[in-house]
Amino acid sequence: MNEKRKRTNMRGLILLIGSMTVGGFIGYVFSSGAVTVPENFNLNPSIYYEYDVMFGCIALLSLLLAAFTVLGLAQTRRMKDEPKTDGEIDNFKDKALSRVMQFSYYTMIITLSWLLMSFAHALGPGGKESEDAAFMLANMITALVFMLFSFYLLNRTFALYNKNYPDRQLDLSLGNSQNAQRELFAKMDEGERWIVYRSSYSSYKATTVCLVIGMLFFALYSLLFGFVPMPLIVLALILLIQQTVYYREVRKYS
């Protein structure tokens, strides 16, 4: 046990020294002026209007996710209930419904991001006086339509879930999500709770890593294109809130 702990401590020390070395080297390279960005370098490829390629890719992704969700809903409705065999957690219909819920959430997230970015692009500084007013208006309207449609698909997905699991129905009313989550968790057996624990903790670790990587990315972006503190501050606040909620829950139930 002590030998294993020594190896872990040594590995952590080597990783820390390596990270400090790499960070010092990167800082030296940028401070020495060895790396410069060409003046004509552009991170915003466009064809006709500003940001049209970016919004076009988001629109295509939203369309594909919505199509997968609609197709999954239609296929899941046609499936018949199958008896579960011993040792089987779920059947083909359960797995299909899980995929539909996953695609439905993805669709809502992407379309919400599209809608918020379209409003920020059109209503931000210089947007009203821009020559791309027609493109901005069409972009906002299309994003709003997709956003409403994604909420409709999410509602239909939850309705299908409630139909297939009448003893574990999800409350779709606004303002009651927290109570609904408690009730749903209370109805789970020990195996299902273990799955929730594992998946939630894996999601927690992945989110922590992504937030740190995001902070490093925007720090590098500031070195290349100019200092932008707001994204770093927002990601740091999210990370602080995440850690605060986690340790608060640990103290509450320990």
Side-chain angles (χ1 to χ4, degrees), residues 8-245:
T8 303
N9 292 337
M10 181 59 66
R11 191 181 300 113
L13 180 61
I14 294 174
L15 181 62
L16 178 61
I17 294 175
S19 301
M20 294 174 62
T21 303
V22 173
F25 176 76
I26 293 175
Y28 170 77
V29 169
F30 281 101
S31 62
S32 63
V35 177
T36 57
V37 179
E39 295 182 357
N40 58 349
F41 182 76
N42 184 16
L43 282 175
N44 173 31
S46 58
I47 300 177
Y48 299 105
Y49 304 105
E50 187 179 17
Y51 295 106
D52 58 352
V53 174
M54 181 189 73
F55 283 115
C57 293
I58 295 175
L60 179 60
L61 180 59
S62 301
L63 183 61
L64 290 176
L65 289 173
F68 282 130
T69 305
V70 172
L71 181 62
L73 282 171
Q75 291 178 343
T76 307
R77 286 196 183 99
R78 290 196 300 265
M79 289 183 178
K80 296 181 180 180
D81 294 330
E82 301 176 1
K84 297 181 181 180
T85 60
D86 294 338
E88 186 181 16
I89 298 178
D90 50 12
N91 52 34
F92 288 107
K93 188 172 183 180
D94 295 331
K95 294 177 181 178
L97 182 56
S98 177
R99 286 195 298 269
V100 172
M101 294 187 71
Q102 185 177 5
F103 279 121
S104 183
Y105 273 119
Y106 288 165
T107 306
M108 185 193 66
I109 293 171
I110 297 299
T111 53
L112 178 60
S113 303
W114 180 13
L115 179 63
L116 293 177
M117 284 192 291
S118 65
F119 272 89
H121 179 223
L123 304 179
K128 297 179 180 179
E129 293 80 14
S130 175
E131 298 178 355
D132 308 335
F135 164 74
M136 293 181 180
L137 180 61
N139 189 33
M140 284 192 297
I141 294 175
T142 308
L144 179 59
V145 171
F146 267 84
M147 181 75 255
L148 295 176
F149 184 61
S150 68
F151 274 114
Y152 171 77
L153 290 178
L154 186 63
N155 182 274
R156 291 295 87 202
T157 304
F158 279 129
L160 182 60
Y161 174 89
N162 290 339
K163 181 180 179 181
N164 285 271
Y165 302 101
D167 57 332
R168 299 184 181 184
Q169 291 194 0
L170 297 173
D171 191 352
L172 302 179
S173 60
L174 296 176
N176 196 36
S177 60
Q178 194 170 18
N179 294 331
Q181 291 173 1
R182 292 197 187 99
E183 294 175 1
L184 180 63
F185 191 76
K187 296 175 182 177
M188 295 180 180
D189 57 30
E190 186 176 351
E192 291 171 328
R193 292 183 183 183
W194 182 84
I195 293 174
V196 172
Y197 290 146
R198 292 285 298 180
S199 58
S200 298
Y201 188 65
S202 298
S203 175
Y204 162 80
K205 292 191 297 184
T207 304
T208 302
V209 172
C210 290
L211 288 172
V212 174
I213 292 176
M215 295 171 65
L216 294 175
F217 171 79
F218 282 110
L220 182 62
Y221 183 91
S222 297
L223 291 174
L224 290 173
F225 302 102
F227 183 55
V228 282
M230 188 54 64
L232 285 166
I233 294 173
V234 171
L235 292 179
L237 286 176
I238 294 174
L239 186 58
L240 285 172
I241 293 172
Q242 181 208 41
Q243 297 296 320
T244 301
V245 172

